[in-house]
Amino acid sequence: SHIFKKNEDLTKAWKGKTEQLLKIDEHDFTMRPAFGGPAIPVGVDVQVESLDSISEVDMDFTMTLYLRHYWKDERLSFPSTNNKSRTFDGRLVEKIWVPDVFFVHSKRSFIHDTTTDNIMLRVFPDGHVLYSMRVTVTAMCNMDFSRFPLDSQTCSLELESYAYTDEDLMLYWKNGNESLKTDEKISLSQFLIQKFHTTSRLAFYSSTGWYNRLYINFTLRRHIFFFLLQTYFPATLMVMLSWVSFWIDRRAVPARVSLGITTVLTMSTIITGVNASMPRVSYIKAVDIYLWVSFVFVFLSVLEYAAVNYLTTVQERKERKLRERFSCSCGIPHSKTMMLDGNYSESDANSLAGYTRNQMVPEEEKPEKVVVHLAMSNESNSSRKRGLKGHVGLRIIQNTHAIDKYSRLIFPGTYIVFNLIYWSVFS
């Protein structure tokens, strides 16, 4: 059988109170240890439990951590036969001196109090003190979004004594870079935590003097895949969709106009959605460059069809005037017209002079032919040929299909070059 030895109940062995054990009543703990002497060293170490959130809109971060202080206060020394420390809860903290460390640039912070105040005080017989608390703090982080969302951000949590200058209290990292520990399970949805490290320096205030300041620095790199799915891919698809109009018949006005307007409105919605979740900074972000260049490509595709439609109207107007001019110059009734493509001889033309327009092949079925009126005059063949050649040349120069053909190559090629430059600069 196992024999269990009952632990000695020290609360019964000690007849007095904690205040008498630590001699709290014999000293004034409103003053720091070694008051009037050299600065008291206070070591600090931190264990980061979680990095809760990063807010781009508010430019802040929220962190939960275990904050520990180490110092020596000989006023708290007590006799001990086994040289063991004594551990107390937060109720004793209110009766002794503790460092007045606060978080610089903190917006909100609190000590956890569930189920009781998360504060621990451990006192050793020689007067060394360990003071630990569990704190959640929301602090400011100055972010630079010029490369957003291909950016990295460096934020700092700063600790400093509020009342004691470096002549009274010397804050330092207890174990150097080893003073900062992090939980391996820390992760964020939008960021990859690249590095945690510590630094320290002096901070000067014109009215009060120099203070020791400790920094917890961490570097975050944003995950790009979310923005590829939500921003870059949709914008690229809208630009490619606007190019479909180059393959649609120029006479299909409703199809090409509705397609252009739809892509323009969709790009406007994407831009508005991205800016709604970002602070209103006064500089251009990397995502703004991509979205606005994509918007310009979509808008230019609409202007391209406007140019095609306008030139088509101008061309038809000139062809109508040209037909009227030929009709007036010959003086032959409309029943004496025919279709001429330049391959008929003068005798063939004279033999066909009796055919009417209805008896000839319709104009829609012979798009390569030019409708003219036969001029039965003494005009030379050379002058008629020059007129026909000039008309054909006019149609070639004002062929609006060429704009669509060139756009099918220029728009995709330019957009590919832009993407190569963009990703090589910002990635």
Side-chain angles (χ1 to χ4, degrees):
S1 62
H2 296 280
I3 299 175
F4 295 95
K5 182 178 179 181
K6 187 177 181 180
N7 293 329
E8 182 180 2
D9 191 350
L10 296 179
T11 60
K12 291 182 179 179
W14 179 252
K15 302 299 183 181
K17 297 181 180 179
T18 301
E19 287 82 355
Q20 297 173 351
L21 172 65
L22 300 179
K23 302 177 184 179
I24 293 176
D25 295 334
E26 299 179 9
H27 303 280
D28 184 3
F29 281 93
T30 60
M31 294 182 291
R32 68 174 178 87
F35 182 78
I40 175 176
V42 176
V44 176
D45 70 29
V46 171
Q47 180 172 345
V48 179
E49 179 183 2
S50 63
L51 192 57
D52 302 323
S53 64
I54 306 290
S55 175
E56 291 89 355
V57 177
D58 299 326
M59 285 194 179
D60 60 24
F61 65 92
T62 301
M63 178 186 294
T64 300
L65 52 88
Y66 295 96
L67 178 62
R68 306 184 184 98
H69 306 80
Y70 303 84
W71 74 94
K72 184 177 183 180
D73 191 344
E74 295 181 354
R75 297 173 296 183
L76 298 177
S77 60
F78 60 91
S80 176
T81 57
N82 52 15
N83 200 30
K84 290 185 178 180
S85 62
R86 299 287 188 264
T87 301
F88 307 94
D89 59 18
R91 289 172 290 184
L92 185 62
V93 174
E94 300 176 358
K95 300 178 181 180
I96 66 172
W97 181 91
V98 293
D100 59 341
V101 175
F102 78 106
F103 297 102
V104 186
H105 306 308
S106 171
K107 295 181 178 181
R108 295 174 301 275
S109 61
F110 62 92
I111 299 174
H112 290 260
D113 56 1
T114 305
T115 58
T116 183
D117 291 341
N118 296 174
I119 296 176
M120 185 267 292
L121 190 70
R122 183 174 294 169
V123 182
F124 293 85
D126 59 353
H128 280 88
V129 181
L130 165 60
Y131 174 44
S132 176
M133 67 185 79
R134 182 167 174 255
V135 185
T136 293
V137 56
T138 300
M140 182 181 66
C141 178
N142 293 323
M143 301 182 184
D144 182 13
F145 297 106
S146 58
R147 298 177 64 89
F148 175 87
L150 306 168
D151 59 333
S152 296
Q153 303 294 341
T154 300
C155 300
S156 299
L157 183 62
E158 306 171 14
L159 297 86
E160 182 182 305
S161 172
Y162 190 83
Y164 297 100
T165 64
D166 62 337
E167 297 178 354
D168 292 319
L169 190 146
M170 182 181 67
L171 276 180
Y172 68 97
W173 290 111
K174 188 174 186 299
N175 298 312
N177 289 332
E178 300 297 325
S179 301
L180 180 61
K181 302 292 184 180
T182 58
D183 193 334
E184 296 180 356
K185 297 181 180 179
I186 294 179
S187 62
L188 293 170
S189 58
Q190 292 191 27
F191 291 92
L192 172 65
I193 302 176
Q194 290 186 316
K195 181 174 62 174
F196 272 98
H197 66 282
T198 61
T199 56
S200 61
R201 66 188 65 166
L202 290 175
F204 177 74
Y205 297 90
S206 59
S207 301
T208 54
W210 294 89
Y211 294 81
N212 293 111
R213 182 176 295 182
L214 306 181
Y215 295 82
I216 302 173
N217 305 308
F218 55 95
T219 303
L220 306 172
R221 183 171 182 82
R222 197 182 306 274
H223 292 300
I224 185 60
F225 189 71
F226 170 81
F227 296 93
L228 287 177
L229 292 178
Q230 298 295 324
T231 303
Y232 287 97
F233 285 164
T236 303
L237 290 178
M238 286 301 103
V239 175
M240 297 173 65
L241 183 61
S242 67
W243 299 339
V244 175
S245 64
F246 303 152
W247 279 265
I248 299 178
D249 193 338
R250 57 178 177 168
R251 291 184 292 267
V253 178
R256 296 190 66 164
V257 171
S258 61
L259 180 61
I261 294 176
T262 301
T263 53
V264 168
L265 293 178
T266 304
M267 283 301 305
S268 300
T269 303
I270 295 174
I271 294 174
T272 303
V274 171
N275 291 330
S277 60
M278 294 296 299
R280 298 178 180 178
V281 295
S282 58
Y283 50 84
I284 298 177
K285 304 181 290 293
V287 68
D288 293 335
I289 297 176
Y290 193 90
L291 291 179
W292 279 104
V293 170
S294 300
F295 183 85
V296 169
F297 271 89
V298 172
F299 185 73
L300 288 178
S301 67
V302 178
L303 294 183
E304 186 269 349
Y305 178 63
V308 168
N309 188 272
Y310 173 76
L311 293 178
T312 301
T313 304
V314 172
Q315 177 187 357
E316 292 175 351
R317 185 183 301 115
K318 290 184 178 181
E319 289 179 353
R320 186 166 54 252
K321 290 182 179 180
L322 187 60
R323 288 196 299 268
E324 292 175 357
R325 187 179 63 185
F326 274 106
S327 140
C328 295
S329 62
C330 64
I332 295 178
H334 290 287
S335 61
K336 301 297 182 180
T337 59
M338 62 169 289
M339 193 71 72
L340 189 64
D341 62 354
N343 296 324
Y344 293 96
S345 63
E346 185 175 357
S347 59
D348 294 333
N350 293 331
S351 65
L352 295 173
Y355 287 88
T356 63
R357 295 176 63 95
N358 295 330
Q359 293 173 308
M360 300 301 295
V361 179
E363 184 179 359
E364 290 78 9
E365 298 179 9
K366 299 290 184 178
E368 72 278 3
K369 296 177 172 49
V370 182
V371 179
V372 297
H373 290 273
L374 295 177
M376 304 301 293
S377 63
N378 295 329
E379 195 173 48
S380 64
N381 292 337
S382 60
S383 63
R384 286 200 299 270
K385 291 181 181 180
R386 284 196 301 270
L388 292 174
K389 290 180 180 179
H391 190 200
V392 174
L394 184 64
R395 290 176 61 86
I396 295 175
I397 294 175
Q398 295 185 343
N399 185 8
T400 55
H401 287 291
I403 298 179
D404 284 336
K405 292 179 181 178
Y406 292 143
S407 298
R408 295 170 190 173
L409 298 176
I410 294 175
F411 275 72
T414 307
Y415 196 68
I416 291 173
V417 172
F418 161 72
N419 273 272
L420 292 176
I421 296 175
Y422 178 87
W423 293 108
S424 62
V425 171
F426 290 103
S427 61

